[in-house]
Amino acid sequence: MGNSHFHKLPNQNHWVQAIHTAVKGRVRYKVNGLYHSEALKKYLESRLLEEEIILQASANSYTGNILVIFHPDKSLNTIALLIQDILLDYRQKSSKSPASGAVITESNLDSFGTKENTAAVVGNNRYGYDSAVLPQISMQRQLNQTGSQLIPVLGAVGVLVCGTGLLYAYNLDEAILLLIQRLHTPLRDRIMLGITFMGDPLVMLLSSLGLAISPLFYNRRREATILGIAGVGATLLNCLMKLLFGRARPALWKHIIKVGQHSFPSGHAMVSIVIYGFIGYILAKQFPEWRFWIYDLTIVLIAAIGLSRLYLGVHWLTDVTAGYAAGLVWLIACILSLELQQKYRSLQAG
């Protein structure tokens, strides 16, 4: 929770007031007229999500607040002025088309300003879209944006699949494990045991389910649901693939941990990239100014878990790379499911 600060814009009649501004790129506004106005809530979310600088917008008609996550290089006043423009445009459209879906009551109209302000708005509408078309435009733009962001991830899947095939074709698994064995020391053994515990599928599954029902996700039911599905789905898919391929684990030296019978693909690699990857994605959206640190730390953690399985000699390298590839595919499916749900909600708002 940030400190409550109120930043009033000149000549705005206190329509938009910023609160909880402690985190750069993330602000909560009190919007006059939003309280108990579901139509304005939907219109605000739809119009804000259409803007390139807005990463996320979530309005609450019960509190009259709207949470906006935006590019950190933009100022609070820029976002507040954008919201004010949308409010003006909403009022104009509502007064012209009282029978349309964006209808507000006379009392809400009064809370937006005076009769003189209404006349001033007529020449101020810089948007030429019909309100019914706006959610569709927003949805298409964000789907395109999500698709472009997933292109590098799909490329990584292709690299992992090709790498797995080449490693298997040239029979390099055993040579790589024997090379890693030379790095063994008692201290490194303890470190790797700690890292591999962080990637244990059962531990991560229980953690993801616990996190999904925790207060941290109280106002994020969709994210919590997808997180639970991601964890359960990754675990079940891994078990199914292990039974399908039935590959034996490496036995080049005595294992210092207990493991199951089958090896391909690595459950630690597959489940860790799904759960930690999804959590990292949510955190990066929530705190865009820290997204590069979040992504970097997530990648380092996932890579360390895979390395620990090789160090402990319980997986071939192809097990780990295949686990990453399968996990990435499932992670993409979960993220797309979340994005499509959010875009469908925006479309329904229209």
Side-chain angles (χ1 to χ4, degrees):
M1 295 291 292
N3 297 325
S4 295
H5 306 288
F6 290 84
H7 305 277
K8 298 179 178 62
L9 295 173
N11 302 321
Q12 71 177 76
N13 296 320
H14 309 299
W15 292 0
V16 183
Q17 295 176 334
I19 56 178
H20 306 310
T21 61
V23 180
K24 188 176 182 181
R26 184 177 186 272
V27 62
R28 192 182 302 275
Y29 290 101
K30 175 71 69 175
V31 179
N32 198 0
L34 177 58
Y35 185 67
H36 281 180
S37 177
E38 189 67 19
L40 178 56
K41 169 188 179 298
K42 295 177 179 179
Y43 191 77
L44 268 174
E45 290 178 341
S46 175
R47 287 289 296 271
L48 282 172
L49 290 174
E50 189 188 34
E51 300 292 332
E52 293 287 347
I53 62 173
I54 303 300
L55 303 178
Q56 184 177 336
S58 178
N60 190 327
S61 59
Y62 295 102
T63 62
N65 297 342
I66 182 168
L67 173 66
V68 182
I69 299 177
F70 55 95
H71 287 292
D73 57 340
K74 300 300 179 181
S75 68
L76 297 178
N77 277 359
T78 299
I79 306 303
L81 285 170
L82 175 60
I83 294 176
Q84 182 178 331
D85 283 347
I86 294 173
L87 293 175
L88 289 167
D89 192 46
Y90 176 78
R91 178 182 178 183
Q92 180 182 355
K93 288 180 179 294
S94 298
S95 61
K96 285 184 175 181
S97 305
S100 66
V103 178
I104 54 179
T105 64
E106 191 63 35
S107 60
N108 281 335
L109 280 171
D110 291 340
S111 70
F112 276 28
T114 62
K115 300 286 185 179
E116 290 76 15
N117 285 336
T118 307
V121 172
V122 175
N124 226 2
N125 183 15
R126 56 189 178 90
Y127 304 97
Y129 306 122
D130 184 84
S131 58
V133 180
L134 285 172
Q136 298 175 357
I137 297 174
S138 175
M139 180 177 182
Q140 185 60 48
R141 183 183 68 79
Q142 292 195 42
L143 285 177
N144 292 338
Q145 185 181 29
T146 302
S148 64
Q149 292 173 345
L150 289 177
I151 290 176
V153 182
L154 291 173
V157 173
V159 170
L160 288 169
V161 171
C162 292
T164 301
L166 290 172
L167 288 169
Y168 185 81
Y170 287 95
N171 197 25
L172 297 176
D173 276 327
E174 183 174 336
I176 291 172
L177 280 190
L178 291 175
L179 185 64
I180 293 175
Q181 186 187 24
R182 299 178 186 178
L183 303 175
H184 282 203
T185 66
L187 176 60
R188 288 173 183 158
D189 289 352
R190 289 193 290 271
I191 293 174
M192 290 299 174
L193 284 172
I195 294 174
T196 207
F197 176 79
M198 295 176 65
D200 183 88
L202 181 58
V203 171
M204 286 191 295
L205 176 60
L206 294 176
S207 299
S208 66
L209 292 175
L211 186 61
I213 62 175
S214 71
L216 294 175
F217 280 80
Y218 181 75
N219 293 322
R220 296 179 174 275
R221 288 297 91 194
R222 289 191 303 277
E223 289 89 340
T225 300
I226 298 298
L227 176 61
I229 293 174
V232 173
T235 304
L236 293 177
L237 285 172
N238 182 256
C239 293
L240 180 61
M241 293 175 71
K242 281 185 174 181
L243 291 174
L244 179 64
F245 289 100
R247 188 183 191 184
R249 290 185 182 273
L252 301 181
W253 61 84
K254 185 178 179 180
H255 299 156
I256 59 175
I257 56 173
K258 293 182 179 180
V259 291
Q261 181 180 1
H262 300 303
S263 175
F264 184 91
S266 167
H268 281 65
M270 182 173 176
V271 179
S272 68
I273 201 170
V274 171
I275 293 180
Y276 289 132
F278 190 82
I279 293 174
Y281 173 78
I282 296 299
L283 290 176
K285 286 189 66 177
Q286 185 73 17
F287 304 101
E289 70 279 10
W290 297 103
R291 63 186 181 278
F292 295 113
W293 283 103
I294 293 171
Y295 287 142
D296 289 345
L297 290 175
T298 301
I299 292 172
V300 168
L301 175 59
I302 293 170
I305 290 171
L307 177 62
S308 73
R309 305 306 286 171
L310 301 176
Y311 179 92
L312 296 171
V314 295
H315 277 296
W316 306 107
L317 179 56
T318 47
D319 298 337
V320 175
T321 54
Y324 284 151
L328 264 178
V329 172
W330 182 240
L331 175 61
I332 291 172
C334 293
I335 290 176
L336 282 177
S337 176
L338 176 63
E339 292 293 331
L340 286 172
Q341 284 186 32
Q342 292 174 339
K343 305 312 175 288
Y344 179 76
R345 182 189 176 198
S346 298
L347 184 62
Q348 290 295 100

